Amino acid sequence: MFRDTRSILSAALLFLCAAPTSASASDASETCSPLMEWNQFALDATVAATQGALPQIRSMAIVHASIHDAVNRITGDYETYVPAGAAPTGASPEAAVIAAANYALTHLFNSQMTSLNDKRAKSLADCGLDETNPGISVGEAAATAILALRSTDGAAQANYPYTAPGAGSPGVWVAVGMAPPVAPGWGKVTPWRLESGSQFRPYAPPALDSGRYTRDYEEVKALGALTVSARTWEQTQIAIFWDGSPSAIWNSVARGVIAARGLELSSAARTLALMYIAAADASIACFDAKYFYNFWRPITAIQNGDTDGNDNTVADPSWQPLITTHQHPEYPSGHSTNSSAMATVLTLLFGDDPGVPIVATSPRNPTFPRLWTTFSDGIAEVIDARVYIGFHFRTSDETGARMGRQVARFVVNHTLRD
């Protein structure tokens, strides 16, 4: 792993300058790369809608499953998520990408319809296509089918008032602050491919009087504190970097690898669809476990360390994490679970070392790009980062990473096969 920050920045900038920049609309006219273009449009739309990590991943999965099915109904390279008949003669895969992405996004984000339709018209023109191409109907049909399936998945009903059973007892999660709990029903959302949200539910978190819990407690207390922390400057920057959403960070990784490997359209569409379907199912699995165990966050644990029955955990009533803790239970780590699912998909498709620079960027720390030689380098870093930020105990991060691997392997083995 590259550990010198200046080396990371220099190498990342060199790679980004040399890599294709088909994400921008102005370059699309030269390359006609609607997949990369609409991938960025989709991410931008979720940001404009201020979606949190869970709905953002769900939206990206809907868009990319729609694109994948549209393209592969025409090319026949991979099985589609929703079975469909043969495409009409003359259907352009590029037109199908544009239509599928546009249809999905305009139905997810109706308030952005005008700008998205303008992008649709320009994308078609840049590719020398128009609304008469049969690929348009293929794309819209694919998106219609995916949207119909997800319209009853339970995501719209996942937020409601919630108090954990036994809240206030040692080890039990309590909300900190006035914000409502985040998505206590997300673990009941219908999975994309898993058999249930509990399929890979992990063992319980460590007992409060165990040596592992003591180790985790002392580590996050020292490294995750807002003030008087043992973190280095670089560790602080890593923590802030990984405060960005999993979609934003791993999307940047996938785009770079797809471009560097020069994937053709069917494979590139499948890569992004598998990554987001795995992440969507990992989110469901993670939140099933979170609200099943309702384990307390470090902020509550450390401020109340004199109540946990462990003589080795010294309380600090004034302890605060580096950044305000998210409003849902601690175990397992959501970012570690989602990141591991995305990284595992990429590993299964390209190998842990894909033979090209792995560059990650984050909107939370845009001047601090990360450069890795393996995808597992990124997972090791997010495990550390969630300790540095003061959100999680290390066991939670490691458990989340394991869950993400399990979910991703199951998804890849059972979805969009060749």
Side-chain angles (χ1 to χ4, degrees), residues 1 238-239 241-246 249-250 333-341 343 370 372 375-389 391-394 396-398 400-401:
M1 185 188 300
I238 288 171
F241 177 97
W242 286 101
D243 196 38
S245 74
I249 293 170
W250 289 98
S333 162
H335 211 320
S336 296
T337 306
N338 291 325
S339 292
S340 178
R370 313 302 294 145
W372 311 307
F375 297 117
S376 51
D377 287 342
I379 298 309
E381 189 172 286
V382 71
I383 288 171
D384 288 341
R386 304 315 267 181
V387 175
Y388 301 155
I389 204 170
F391 284 1
H392 288 290
F393 302 106
R394 181 169 294 275
S396 179
D397 300 326
E398 294 172 345

Side-chain angles (χ1 to χ4, degrees), residues 60-329:
M60 294 297 284
I62 288 171
V63 171
H64 282 292
S66 299
I67 290 173
H68 168 87
D69 277 12
V71 169
N72 283 282
R73 184 181 166 194
I74 296 170
T75 65
D77 292 330
Y78 302 100
E79 69 178 10
T80 55
Y81 185 80
V82 178
T89 302
S92 161
E94 290 75 17
V97 169
I98 296 165
N102 172 266
Y103 191 92
L105 288 169
T106 54
H107 284 73
L108 289 169
F109 308 109
N110 186 261
S111 64
Q112 300 181 47
M113 182 176 293
T114 298
S115 64
L116 289 166
N117 284 343
D118 289 343
K119 290 178 172 68
R120 170 180 169 140
K122 188 175 190 312
S123 291
L124 288 170
D126 288 344
C127 288
L129 299 164
D130 60 36
E131 295 287 351
T132 66
N133 189 281
I136 298 293
S137 63
V138 174
E140 291 182 348
T144 298
I146 296 294
L147 286 164
L149 282 176
R150 300 315 297 180
S151 67
T152 58
D153 64 5
Q157 294 77 43
N159 286 290
Y160 46 78
Y162 179 84
T163 301
S169 302
V172 180
W173 176 73
V174 293
V176 178
M178 299 303 294
V182 174
W186 204 268
K188 304 300 183 185
V189 169
T190 303
W192 287 76
R193 186 56 70 195
L194 294 185
E195 296 167 1
S196 71
S198 62
Q199 182 175 346
F200 294 110
R201 185 184 290 166
Y203 292 118
L208 300 183
D209 60 354
S210 66
R212 178 180 287 274
Y213 177 76
T214 303
R215 180 207 69 182
D216 287 352
Y217 179 102
E218 293 300 328
E219 181 185 36
V220 71
K221 183 180 180 183
L223 290 174
L226 175 62
T227 59
V228 195
S229 172
R231 282 188 316 274
T232 66
W233 176 87
E234 184 175 34
Q235 288 170 337
T236 299
Q237 297 308 307
I238 288 171
I240 295 170
F241 177 97
W242 286 101
D243 196 38
S245 74
S247 288
I249 293 170
W250 289 98
N251 200 71
S252 71
V253 172
R255 290 177 65 89
V257 174
I258 287 169
R261 294 286 289 260
L263 294 191
E264 46 78 32
L265 182 56
S266 292
S267 295
R270 176 176 182 254
T271 296
L272 291 168
L274 282 173
M275 188 177 81
Y276 279 111
I277 289 172
D281 272 3
S283 297
I284 295 167
C286 178
F287 271 67
D288 166 83
K290 278 182 178 289
Y291 284 98
F292 181 81
Y293 290 115
N294 284 303
F295 197 59
W296 62 1
R297 289 278 185 169
I299 184 173
T300 308
I302 294 168
Q303 290 181 2
N304 297 276
D306 56 348
T307 70
D308 62 12
N310 185 334
D311 293 338
N312 296 313
T313 56
V314 178
D316 181 352
S318 65
W319 190 92
Q320 294 288 330
L322 175 63
I323 292 174
T324 302
T325 299
H326 294 164
Q327 203 74 310
H328 47 76

